[in-house]
Amino acid sequence: MSKWYPKNGRVIFHVDMNSFYASVEMAFDPKLKGKPLAIAGNPEERRGIVVTSSYEARKFGVKTTMPVGEARRLCPELMVMRPNFERYRTASKEMFKILADVTSLVQPVSIDEGYMDITNCASQGSPPEIAERIQQRIADELDLPCSIGIAPNKFLAKMASDMKKPMGITILRKRDLQNKLWPLPIEEMYGVGDKTAEKLRRIKVETIGDLAVHPVLELKRLLGINGERLQNRANGDDQRPVDPDAVHEFKSIGTSTTLPEDTTDDQEVRSVLRKLTHKVEARMKNKKVLAQNVQLMIRYHDRKTVTRSRQLKEFIQSAEDLFQVSLQLFDEHWNQEPIRLLGITAQDLAEKSEITQQLDLFNYEQYASKEKLYKAIDDLTEKYGSNPFQPLSAPQNNTVTTSFQKDFLDDFKK
C-alpha cells in the first residue's frame, strides 16, 4: 500500500459528474436513458441555448451554448427539456455526502465537481479501489455517472478526470506528464481560456509541453505572474491544498461604509450605494462569481439595524444591476430616520464558469448582444487602469469600506 501513499506526497481526487443536468433528468425519468437529450432555456424557441446535453446527443455534434434550432438540425430526434435547478441541487448535495463518507477533506468547486484529499485513507484501500467504490456508490444510489482523476495535486487530478468520460477513472502521475499531458493542445489545459491560448500561440506555444519548457521570462512578460503559474502547472507543480472551507468564500461578498454624518439626504444615499455596488462588483469579478440575491443593510442613528434582501430570477454581477436592486430595497424599507451606515451584500453566489452555460434561461440573447461592448470596456480598463465609460454618478475611490456579515453557510455539513 505504501506505493500508493508516499510519505512526503499527497493523493488527490477530482470527482466530476458526467453531463450532470441531463444525467439527473435521466435518473428522475429512466425512459430518457439512451436518448439524445438537451437541457435548454426556452426549448420552444429556436434561439434558446443548450445548457448541456447527453452523450447520445453529443455524438451528433450537439454542444453547450449551441442554439436549440441548430441542435435540432444536427439531431432531429433531440429531446429538449427546461432545467430543474432544485432537482440538480438536491442531487449535488447527495453526491457530496457520499464523498464526505470517505474523508472530511472535500472541497466543492461547483454544483457537479469537487476535490478530495485521501492521503490519510490508506486503511480504506488503494486510491483506485476507493475511486471505484465512490463511482459505484454514486451510480447505485443516485443513478448518476461520474469520472474521477487521481493525482498528487489538484491540477493534475482535474486534468486526469477529463481524460476519460463517462465513468472513467484515470491516474496521472508526474512521470506520466510527457506522454499523457504534454501532447495536449494548449487550450485543453485547465486555467487557459481562449484569450490566453491565443496569446500563447503567438509565441509558438501550441501544446502543454511547449508551455512547460518555454522561457519563463517571456511567459511573465506576456501573462504576468500567471505565466509562471501556468508553467508550474504544466510541469505538474501545484501546492494548493484541498480546503473544505474554500466553499465559504463563495457564499457572500459584501461591503459597508459608515457615513461621515448621519443623513437623510436621498442623493447622498444614492451616491453611497453607487460606491458600495462598485466595490462589490470588483470583488465579484475578482472571484469570477455571479449573484442571485442582493441584501441591503441600513443602520440608523440610534444603532438600530435592519437587513432586507431580494431573490432574483437571474444571476447578476454588474454594479448597475446591484445598484438598481439595492435602491429598490432602500426605497421600500427606509423609515425616513437618519442613517449612519449602509451595506450591500451579494449572496447565493455561483462560479461564472458554471452559470455562463445557463444564461439562456433568462437573458442569454440580451447578454450576448452586449458581449462585444463589455469586452471593449474591459480591454480599455485594462489598458488605462479604470473604466473610461463610468456613469456620471460613479463613485470616486475615497471612502473606506469594510466587509460585513460573511454568511458562510455550509450546506455540506448539515
Side-chain angles (χ1 to χ4, degrees), residues 11 94 136 140 142 178 215 217 225 294 344 375 383 394:
V11 183
E94 294 304 313
Q136 198 59 50
D140 291 344
L142 305 180
Q178 193 167 351
L217 289 179
I225 189 63
V294 177
I344 294 172
K375 182 180 183 300
K383 182 175 181 179

Side-chain angles (χ1 to χ4, degrees), residues 1 9 11 34 48 79 103 107 127 140 142 155 157 400 405:
M1 198 65 68
V11 183
M79 302 178 66
T103 174
Q107 179 183 339
D140 291 344
L142 305 180
F155 170 74
V400 177
Q405 287 194 305

